[in-house]
Amino acid sequence: MKKSNIERAKWIPIFIIAIVLMLIYKTIDNIGQITSAIWEFLLVISPLMYGILFTYFLYRPHQALEKLVKKIRWKFISKRARGFSTIIIFLLVICLIILIMSFLLPIIVSNIISLGTAIPGYVNIAIDYIDNLPETAFWADIDIAGTINEFSGTLFQNVMSQGAIEQVFQEVMNFAGGIFSAILGLVISLYILLDRERIAGFFKRLNNAVFKQSGKAGKAEKYVTLVNKVLFAFIAGKGLDSMINLVVVTSILLIFGIPYAFLFGLIAAMFNFIPYIGSLISVVSISIVALITTDLSVAIPTIICLIIFQQLDGNYIEPRIMRSSLKINPIIVIIAVIIGGAYMGVVGMFLAVPIAAVIKQIIIEYINSRETNTKEVVAETETTDVEVTTDYDRTV
Protein backbone atom coordinates (compact mmCIF):
# COMPACT_ATOMS: atom_id res chain seq x y z
CA MET A 1 0.00 0.00 0.00
CA LYS A 2 1.26 3.48 -0.86
CA LYS A 3 2.25 5.90 1.88
CA SER A 4 -0.49 8.36 0.84
CA ASN A 5 -3.16 5.64 1.13
CA ILE A 6 -1.85 4.66 4.58
CA GLU A 7 -2.03 8.27 5.77
CA ARG A 8 -5.56 8.58 4.35
CA ALA A 9 -6.64 5.37 6.11
CA LYS A 10 -5.43 6.75 9.47
CA TRP A 11 -7.79 9.72 9.18
CA ILE A 12 -10.92 7.65 8.45
CA PRO A 13 -11.56 6.51 12.08
CA ILE A 14 -10.95 10.06 13.33
CA PHE A 15 -13.40 11.41 10.75
CA ILE A 16 -16.05 8.84 11.76
CA ILE A 17 -15.59 9.63 15.48
CA ALA A 18 -15.93 13.36 14.75
CA ILE A 19 -19.20 12.78 12.87
CA VAL A 20 -20.57 10.59 15.69
CA LEU A 21 -19.65 13.21 18.32
CA MET A 22 -21.29 15.92 16.23
CA LEU A 23 -24.48 13.86 15.91
CA ILE A 24 -24.52 13.23 19.67
CA TYR A 25 -24.04 16.95 20.37
CA LYS A 26 -26.82 17.94 17.96
CA THR A 27 -29.12 15.33 19.48
CA ILE A 28 -28.52 16.63 23.03
CA ASP A 29 -28.76 20.26 21.88
CA ASN A 30 -32.14 19.65 20.18
CA ILE A 31 -33.48 17.03 22.58
CA GLY A 32 -36.66 19.05 23.18
CA GLN A 33 -37.57 19.15 19.50
CA ILE A 34 -36.70 15.47 19.07
CA THR A 35 -38.83 14.36 22.03
CA SER A 36 -41.74 16.56 20.89
CA ALA A 37 -41.50 15.05 17.39
CA ILE A 38 -41.45 11.54 18.87
CA TRP A 39 -44.41 12.41 21.09
CA GLU A 40 -46.41 13.74 18.11
CA PHE A 41 -45.63 10.57 16.15
CA LEU A 42 -46.77 8.43 19.10
CA LEU A 43 -50.02 10.43 19.25
CA VAL A 44 -50.61 9.75 15.56
CA ILE A 45 -50.13 5.99 15.97
CA SER A 46 -51.82 5.89 19.39
CA PRO A 47 -54.79 3.79 18.10
CA LEU A 48 -52.31 1.11 16.98
CA MET A 49 -50.51 1.28 20.34
CA TYR A 50 -53.82 0.97 22.18
CA GLY A 51 -54.66 -1.98 19.93
CA ILE A 52 -51.42 -3.78 20.81
CA LEU A 53 -51.94 -2.99 24.51
CA PHE A 54 -55.51 -4.35 24.47
CA THR A 55 -54.30 -7.43 22.59
CA TYR A 56 -51.88 -8.26 25.41
CA PHE A 57 -54.68 -7.85 27.95
CA LEU A 58 -57.29 -9.83 26.03
CA TYR A 59 -55.15 -12.64 24.61
CA ARG A 60 -55.44 -15.04 27.56
CA PRO A 61 -59.24 -14.60 28.05
CA HIS A 62 -59.76 -14.83 24.29
CA GLN A 63 -57.68 -18.02 24.07
CA ALA A 64 -59.52 -19.64 27.01
CA LEU A 65 -62.91 -18.66 25.58
CA GLU A 66 -61.98 -20.04 22.15
CA LYS A 67 -61.14 -23.43 23.70
CA LEU A 68 -64.55 -23.48 25.42
CA VAL A 69 -66.43 -22.59 22.22
CA LYS A 70 -64.60 -25.35 20.31
CA LYS A 71 -66.09 -27.90 22.73
CA ILE A 72 -69.66 -26.97 21.74
CA ARG A 73 -71.30 -29.84 19.84
CA TRP A 74 -72.97 -27.57 17.29
CA LYS A 75 -70.48 -27.69 14.39
CA PHE A 76 -71.59 -24.35 12.96
CA ILE A 77 -70.31 -22.64 16.14
CA SER A 78 -67.35 -24.92 16.95
CA LYS A 79 -65.87 -24.48 13.45
CA ARG A 80 -66.09 -20.71 13.86
CA ALA A 81 -64.83 -20.65 17.46
CA ARG A 82 -62.32 -17.86 16.79
CA GLY A 83 -64.96 -15.50 15.40
CA PHE A 84 -67.59 -16.24 18.05
CA SER A 85 -65.06 -15.89 20.89
CA THR A 86 -63.94 -12.53 19.44
CA ILE A 87 -67.53 -11.29 19.34
CA ILE A 88 -68.16 -12.45 22.93
CA ILE A 89 -64.96 -10.75 24.15
CA PHE A 90 -65.97 -7.54 22.36
CA LEU A 91 -69.43 -7.56 23.98
CA LEU A 92 -67.95 -8.27 27.43
CA VAL A 93 -65.48 -5.38 27.06
CA ILE A 94 -68.30 -3.05 25.96
CA CYS A 95 -70.38 -4.08 29.00
CA LEU A 96 -67.36 -3.49 31.27
CA ILE A 97 -66.81 -0.03 29.75
CA ILE A 98 -70.50 0.86 30.22
CA LEU A 99 -70.33 -0.33 33.84
CA ILE A 100 -67.22 1.76 34.51
CA MET A 101 -68.64 4.85 32.80
CA SER A 102 -71.99 4.63 34.59
CA PHE A 103 -70.85 3.54 38.06
CA LEU A 104 -67.14 3.98 38.80
CA LEU A 105 -66.35 7.11 36.76
CA PRO A 106 -68.91 9.39 38.50
CA ILE A 107 -67.64 8.25 41.92
CA ILE A 108 -63.99 8.84 40.97
CA VAL A 109 -64.79 12.28 39.51
CA SER A 110 -66.70 13.13 42.70
CA ASN A 111 -63.70 11.99 44.79
CA ILE A 112 -61.33 14.15 42.72
CA ILE A 113 -63.55 17.25 43.11
CA SER A 114 -64.02 16.62 46.83
CA LEU A 115 -60.30 16.09 47.39
CA GLY A 116 -59.47 19.23 45.38
CA THR A 117 -61.77 21.39 47.52
CA ALA A 118 -60.51 19.78 50.76
CA ILE A 119 -56.78 20.19 50.04
CA PRO A 120 -56.53 23.78 51.47
CA GLY A 121 -58.08 22.54 54.72
CA TYR A 122 -55.66 19.62 54.87
CA VAL A 123 -52.76 22.02 54.26
CA ASN A 124 -53.89 24.17 57.21
CA ILE A 125 -54.16 21.07 59.41
CA ALA A 126 -50.61 20.06 58.49
CA ILE A 127 -49.30 23.59 59.15
CA ASP A 128 -51.02 23.77 62.56
CA TYR A 129 -49.59 20.37 63.48
CA ILE A 130 -46.08 21.46 62.48
CA ASP A 131 -46.40 24.76 64.37
CA ASN A 132 -47.36 22.90 67.55
CA LEU A 133 -44.30 20.62 67.45
CA PRO A 134 -41.70 21.05 70.25
CA GLU A 135 -39.24 23.90 69.65
CA THR A 136 -36.35 21.65 70.73
CA ALA A 137 -36.92 19.27 67.81
CA PHE A 138 -34.18 19.00 65.20
CA TRP A 139 -36.54 20.35 62.49
CA ALA A 140 -37.25 23.55 64.45
CA ASP A 141 -34.73 25.51 62.38
CA ILE A 142 -36.37 24.38 59.13
CA ASP A 143 -39.33 26.51 58.06
CA ILE A 144 -41.51 23.60 56.99
CA ALA A 145 -44.78 25.47 57.50
CA GLY A 146 -43.56 28.41 55.44
CA THR A 147 -42.46 26.09 52.63
CA ILE A 148 -45.86 24.37 52.58
CA ASN A 149 -47.62 27.76 52.59
CA GLU A 150 -45.48 29.04 49.75
CA PHE A 151 -45.95 25.86 47.69
CA SER A 152 -49.71 25.75 48.19
CA GLY A 153 -50.02 29.48 47.40
CA THR A 154 -48.02 29.11 44.21
CA LEU A 155 -50.06 26.06 43.21
CA PHE A 156 -53.35 27.88 43.86
CA GLN A 157 -52.12 30.93 41.94
CA ASN A 158 -51.16 28.77 38.94
CA VAL A 159 -54.50 26.99 39.01
CA MET A 160 -56.43 30.26 39.11
CA SER A 161 -54.27 31.95 36.47
CA GLN A 162 -55.75 33.17 33.21
CA GLY A 163 -54.19 30.41 31.14
CA ALA A 164 -55.54 27.69 33.41
CA ILE A 165 -58.95 27.68 31.71
CA GLU A 166 -57.35 27.19 28.31
CA GLN A 167 -55.18 24.43 29.73
CA VAL A 168 -58.21 22.69 31.24
CA PHE A 169 -60.02 22.94 27.89
CA GLN A 170 -56.96 21.49 26.14
CA GLU A 171 -56.79 18.64 28.63
CA VAL A 172 -60.49 17.90 28.07
CA MET A 173 -59.91 17.81 24.31
CA ASN A 174 -56.90 15.53 24.79
CA PHE A 175 -59.00 13.25 26.99
CA ALA A 176 -61.73 13.09 24.34
CA GLY A 177 -59.11 12.30 21.70
CA GLY A 178 -57.66 9.61 23.94
CA ILE A 179 -61.11 8.01 24.35
CA PHE A 180 -61.58 7.98 20.56
CA SER A 181 -58.10 6.45 20.07
CA ALA A 182 -58.86 3.82 22.71
CA ILE A 183 -62.09 2.84 20.92
CA LEU A 184 -60.20 2.50 17.62
CA GLY A 185 -57.52 0.54 19.50
CA LEU A 186 -60.15 -1.88 20.79
CA VAL A 187 -61.35 -2.54 17.22
CA ILE A 188 -57.73 -3.02 16.06
CA SER A 189 -57.04 -5.46 18.90
CA LEU A 190 -60.06 -7.55 17.93
CA TYR A 191 -58.79 -7.80 14.36
CA ILE A 192 -55.34 -8.79 15.69
CA LEU A 193 -56.89 -11.52 17.87
CA LEU A 194 -58.99 -12.73 14.95
CA ASP A 195 -56.10 -12.99 12.47
CA ARG A 196 -53.11 -13.44 14.78
CA GLU A 197 -51.65 -16.46 12.92
CA ARG A 198 -51.84 -14.66 9.58
CA ILE A 199 -50.23 -11.51 11.04
CA ALA A 200 -47.47 -13.55 12.70
CA GLY A 201 -46.88 -15.42 9.44
CA PHE A 202 -46.53 -12.16 7.52
CA PHE A 203 -43.91 -10.81 9.93
CA LYS A 204 -42.07 -14.14 9.81
CA ARG A 205 -41.93 -13.95 6.00
CA LEU A 206 -40.77 -10.34 6.24
CA ASN A 207 -38.06 -11.32 8.70
CA ASN A 208 -36.82 -14.09 6.39
CA ALA A 209 -36.88 -11.75 3.39
CA VAL A 210 -34.81 -9.08 5.16
CA PHE A 211 -32.34 -11.16 7.22
CA LYS A 212 -32.14 -14.57 5.51
CA GLN A 213 -29.27 -13.67 3.19
CA SER A 214 -27.18 -12.34 6.06
CA GLY A 215 -27.92 -15.45 8.13
CA LYS A 216 -29.45 -13.43 10.99
CA ALA A 217 -33.11 -14.35 10.50
CA GLY A 218 -33.00 -16.81 13.42
CA LYS A 219 -31.46 -14.24 15.77
CA ALA A 220 -33.95 -11.54 14.74
CA GLU A 221 -36.88 -13.91 15.34
CA LYS A 222 -35.37 -14.92 18.68
CA TYR A 223 -35.09 -11.30 19.87
CA VAL A 224 -38.61 -10.43 18.67
CA THR A 225 -39.97 -13.47 20.53
CA LEU A 226 -38.04 -12.39 23.63
CA VAL A 227 -39.44 -8.84 23.46
CA ASN A 228 -42.96 -10.19 22.99
CA LYS A 229 -42.53 -12.51 25.99
CA VAL A 230 -41.27 -9.72 28.25
CA LEU A 231 -44.04 -7.31 27.20
CA PHE A 232 -46.71 -9.97 27.60
CA ALA A 233 -45.43 -10.90 31.08
CA PHE A 234 -45.32 -7.26 32.12
CA ILE A 235 -48.51 -5.88 30.56
CA ALA A 236 -50.85 -8.85 30.97
CA GLY A 237 -49.43 -9.95 34.34
CA LYS A 238 -49.25 -6.46 35.79
CA GLY A 239 -52.69 -5.65 34.40
CA LEU A 240 -54.32 -8.56 36.24
CA ASP A 241 -52.33 -7.77 39.40
CA SER A 242 -53.39 -4.12 39.19
CA MET A 243 -57.05 -5.18 39.02
CA ILE A 244 -56.49 -7.17 42.22
CA ASN A 245 -54.87 -4.08 43.80
CA LEU A 246 -57.85 -1.96 42.75
CA VAL A 247 -60.37 -4.31 44.37
CA VAL A 248 -58.40 -5.08 47.55
CA VAL A 249 -57.16 -1.54 48.32
CA THR A 250 -60.60 -0.04 47.64
CA SER A 251 -62.20 -2.68 49.88
CA ILE A 252 -59.75 -1.99 52.73
CA LEU A 253 -60.40 1.76 52.53
CA LEU A 254 -64.19 1.27 52.41
CA ILE A 255 -64.11 -1.11 55.40
CA PHE A 256 -62.20 1.40 57.55
CA GLY A 257 -64.21 4.37 56.26
CA ILE A 258 -61.30 6.21 54.62
CA PRO A 259 -62.54 8.92 52.23
CA TYR A 260 -61.79 8.88 48.48
CA ALA A 261 -61.58 5.06 48.58
CA PHE A 262 -62.27 4.53 44.86
CA LEU A 263 -59.84 7.27 43.81
CA PHE A 264 -56.95 5.89 45.89
CA GLY A 265 -57.80 2.35 44.82
CA LEU A 266 -57.39 3.50 41.22
CA ILE A 267 -54.12 5.25 42.11
CA ALA A 268 -52.82 2.03 43.73
CA ALA A 269 -53.78 0.07 40.60
CA MET A 270 -52.06 2.55 38.26
CA PHE A 271 -48.85 2.90 40.25
CA ASN A 272 -48.65 -0.88 40.58
CA PHE A 273 -47.23 -0.84 37.03
CA ILE A 274 -44.06 0.76 38.44
CA PRO A 275 -42.15 -1.92 40.40
CA TYR A 276 -40.85 -1.06 43.90
CA ILE A 277 -41.63 2.68 43.66
CA GLY A 278 -45.30 2.43 42.70
CA SER A 279 -46.50 0.51 45.75
CA LEU A 280 -44.47 2.81 48.02
CA ILE A 281 -46.04 5.94 46.48
CA SER A 282 -49.58 4.58 46.79
CA VAL A 283 -49.13 3.41 50.41
CA VAL A 284 -47.52 6.71 51.49
CA SER A 285 -50.20 8.85 49.81
CA ILE A 286 -53.05 6.79 51.28
CA SER A 287 -51.38 6.83 54.72
CA ILE A 288 -51.12 10.64 54.68
CA VAL A 289 -54.81 11.01 53.79
CA ALA A 290 -55.80 8.44 56.43
CA LEU A 291 -53.78 10.22 59.14
CA ILE A 292 -55.23 13.63 58.24
CA THR A 293 -58.88 12.66 57.73
CA THR A 294 -59.38 10.06 60.50
CA ASP A 295 -58.30 9.21 64.03
CA LEU A 296 -55.15 7.23 64.79
CA SER A 297 -57.33 4.30 65.93
CA VAL A 298 -58.61 4.03 62.34
CA ALA A 299 -55.56 5.22 60.38
CA ILE A 300 -53.01 2.86 61.97
CA PRO A 301 -54.98 -0.39 61.30
CA THR A 302 -55.63 0.84 57.73
CA ILE A 303 -51.92 1.44 57.13
CA ILE A 304 -51.01 -1.94 58.66
CA CYS A 305 -53.52 -3.75 56.40
CA LEU A 306 -52.18 -1.92 53.33
CA ILE A 307 -48.58 -2.82 54.17
CA ILE A 308 -49.53 -6.48 54.77
CA PHE A 309 -51.36 -6.63 51.44
CA GLN A 310 -48.48 -4.97 49.54
CA GLN A 311 -46.02 -7.47 51.00
CA LEU A 312 -48.34 -10.37 50.21
CA ASP A 313 -48.85 -9.07 46.69
CA GLY A 314 -45.16 -8.46 46.01
CA ASN A 315 -43.92 -11.78 47.40
CA TYR A 316 -46.73 -14.22 46.62
CA ILE A 317 -49.57 -13.00 44.33
CA GLU A 318 -47.64 -11.13 41.63
CA PRO A 319 -44.88 -13.78 41.09
CA ARG A 320 -47.55 -16.45 40.56
CA ILE A 321 -49.53 -14.30 38.15
CA MET A 322 -46.53 -13.29 36.06
CA ARG A 323 -44.99 -16.80 36.37
CA SER A 324 -41.54 -15.43 35.55
CA SER A 325 -40.15 -12.44 37.40
CA LEU A 326 -38.51 -9.72 35.33
CA LYS A 327 -36.04 -9.11 38.17
CA ILE A 328 -35.37 -5.47 37.39
CA ASN A 329 -32.92 -3.83 39.78
CA PRO A 330 -34.55 -1.02 41.83
CA ILE A 331 -31.80 1.40 40.73
CA ILE A 332 -32.62 0.69 37.06
CA VAL A 333 -36.31 1.23 37.79
CA ILE A 334 -35.65 4.58 39.49
CA ILE A 335 -33.37 5.78 36.66
CA ALA A 336 -35.86 4.63 34.00
CA VAL A 337 -38.79 6.34 35.75
CA ILE A 338 -36.83 9.60 36.16
CA ILE A 339 -35.76 9.64 32.49
CA GLY A 340 -39.21 8.67 31.23
CA GLY A 341 -40.93 11.25 33.43
CA ALA A 342 -38.48 14.00 32.42
CA TYR A 343 -39.03 13.56 28.68
CA MET A 344 -42.59 12.21 28.38
CA GLY A 345 -44.32 13.06 31.65
CA VAL A 346 -46.58 10.60 33.45
CA VAL A 347 -46.93 8.42 30.35
CA GLY A 348 -43.15 8.16 30.13
CA MET A 349 -42.97 6.99 33.75
CA PHE A 350 -45.21 4.02 32.94
CA LEU A 351 -43.59 3.24 29.56
CA ALA A 352 -40.05 3.47 30.93
CA VAL A 353 -40.25 0.30 33.03
CA PRO A 354 -41.28 -2.19 30.28
CA ILE A 355 -38.80 -0.56 27.87
CA ALA A 356 -36.03 -0.93 30.46
CA ALA A 357 -37.08 -4.56 31.03
CA VAL A 358 -36.92 -5.29 27.29
CA ILE A 359 -33.50 -3.63 26.91
CA LYS A 360 -32.17 -5.52 29.94
CA GLN A 361 -33.39 -8.89 28.63
CA ILE A 362 -31.93 -8.23 25.17
CA ILE A 363 -28.54 -7.29 26.65
CA ILE A 364 -28.53 -10.38 28.89
CA GLU A 365 -29.48 -12.60 25.95
CA TYR A 366 -26.72 -11.04 23.83
CA ILE A 367 -24.12 -11.57 26.59
CA ASN A 368 -25.25 -15.18 27.07
CA SER A 369 -25.03 -15.90 23.35
CA ARG A 370 -21.55 -14.35 23.13
CA GLU A 371 -20.35 -16.35 26.14
CA THR A 372 -21.79 -19.55 24.64
CA ASN A 373 -20.02 -18.89 21.34
CA THR A 374 -16.76 -18.21 23.17
CA LYS A 375 -17.06 -21.46 25.16
CA GLU A 376 -17.78 -23.40 21.96
CA VAL A 377 -14.72 -21.93 20.26
CA VAL A 378 -12.53 -22.76 23.28
CA ALA A 379 -13.93 -26.30 23.42
CA GLU A 380 -13.27 -26.82 19.69
CA THR A 381 -9.71 -25.50 20.12
CA GLU A 382 -9.06 -27.83 23.07
CA THR A 383 -10.46 -30.80 21.13
CA THR A 384 -8.24 -30.00 18.15
CA ASP A 385 -5.19 -29.77 20.43
CA VAL A 386 -6.00 -33.15 21.96
CA GLU A 387 -6.39 -34.76 18.55
CA VAL A 388 -3.10 -33.30 17.31
CA THR A 389 -1.28 -34.43 20.45
CA THR A 390 -2.71 -37.95 20.15
CA ASP A 391 -1.64 -38.24 16.52
CA TYR A 392 1.82 -37.01 17.42
CA ASP A 393 2.10 -39.53 20.27
CA ARG A 394 1.08 -42.35 17.97
CA THR A 395 3.67 -41.28 15.42
CA VAL A 396 6.38 -41.20 18.06
Side-chain angles (χ1 to χ4, degrees), residues 189-202:
S189 70
L190 295 174
Y191 276 109
I192 295 174
L193 290 171
L194 192 62
D195 291 332
R196 57 178 181 264
E197 282 89 1
R198 191 181 303 173
I199 294 171
F202 167 76

Side-chain angles (χ1 to χ4, degrees), residues 360-378:
K360 178 211 168 193
Q361 291 298 117
I362 290 175
I363 292 173
I364 289 174
E365 187 66 26
Y366 175 76
I367 293 171
N368 290 337
S369 64
R370 296 292 294 179
E371 288 177 349
T372 303
N373 292 336
T374 304
K375 289 178 181 178
E376 289 176 355
V377 171
V378 172

Side-chain angles (χ1 to χ4, degrees), residues 263-311:
L263 175 61
F264 283 103
L266 180 63
I267 290 173
M270 291 175 61
F271 277 96
N272 184 60
F273 277 91
I274 305 177
Y276 308 110
I277 307 174
S279 58
L280 179 64
I281 292 173
S282 60
V283 169
V284 169
S285 58
I286 295 172
S287 300
I288 291 172
V289 172
L291 289 170
I292 292 176
T293 57
T294 59
D295 297 330
L296 288 177
S297 59
V298 176
I300 298 301
T302 304
I303 296 170
I304 292 172
C305 289
L306 288 174
I307 293 173
I308 291 173
F309 168 69
Q310 292 296 341
Q311 292 298 315

Side-chain angles (χ1 to χ4, degrees), residues 156-168:
F156 182 77
Q157 190 175 7
N158 291 334
V159 170
M160 298 303 293
S161 63
Q162 190 174 2
I165 298 175
E166 298 178 1
Q167 188 175 358
V168 170

Side-chain angles (χ1 to χ4, degrees), residues 173-356:
M173 294 299 295
N174 291 338
F175 179 75
I179 294 294
F180 180 72
S181 297
I183 293 172
L184 286 179
L186 178 61
V187 175
I188 291 171
S189 70
L190 295 174
Y191 276 109
I192 295 174
L193 290 171
L194 192 62
D195 291 332
R196 57 178 181 264
E197 282 89 1
R198 191 181 303 173
I199 294 171
F202 167 76
F203 281 107
K204 190 171 184 178
R205 288 175 58 195
L206 180 64
N207 175 53
N208 291 331
V210 174
F211 295 106
K212 193 171 184 179
Q213 292 182 353
S214 61
K216 296 182 179 179
K219 283 189 177 181
E221 184 177 356
K222 182 180 179 181
Y223 283 122
V224 170
T225 304
L226 178 65
V227 170
N228 180 65
K229 183 179 179 181
V230 172
L231 289 178
F232 183 80
F234 185 85
I235 296 174
K238 276 287 186 180
L240 179 57
D241 188 55
S242 294
M243 294 296 293
I244 295 173
N245 271 260
L246 173 63
V247 174
V248 174
V249 172
T250 304
S251 301
I252 291 173
L253 298 181
L254 287 174
I255 290 170
F256 287 98
I258 306 298
Y260 323 116
F262 287 94
L263 175 61
F264 283 103
L266 180 63
I267 290 173
M270 291 175 61
F271 277 96
N272 184 60
F273 277 91
I274 305 177
Y276 308 110
I277 307 174
S279 58
L280 179 64
I281 292 173
S282 60
V283 169
V284 169
S285 58
I286 295 172
S287 300
I288 291 172
V289 172
L291 289 170
I292 292 176
T293 57
T294 59
D295 297 330
L296 288 177
S297 59
V298 176
I300 298 301
T302 304
I303 296 170
I304 292 172
C305 289
L306 288 174
I307 293 173
I308 291 173
F309 168 69
Q310 292 296 341
Q311 292 298 315
L312 183 66
D313 178 64
N315 295 297
Y316 182 79
I317 299 174
E318 184 180 325
R320 277 153 183 77
I321 290 175
M322 299 183 69
R323 295 183 181 176
S324 59
S325 178
L326 297 177
K327 296 180 182 178
I328 310 176
N329 192 285
I331 298 175
I332 296 176
V333 171
I334 294 170
I335 293 172
V337 169
I338 291 172
I339 295 174
Y343 290 116
M344 297 183 67
V346 178
V347 177
M349 293 174 65
F350 290 101
L351 292 177
V353 178
I355 291 172

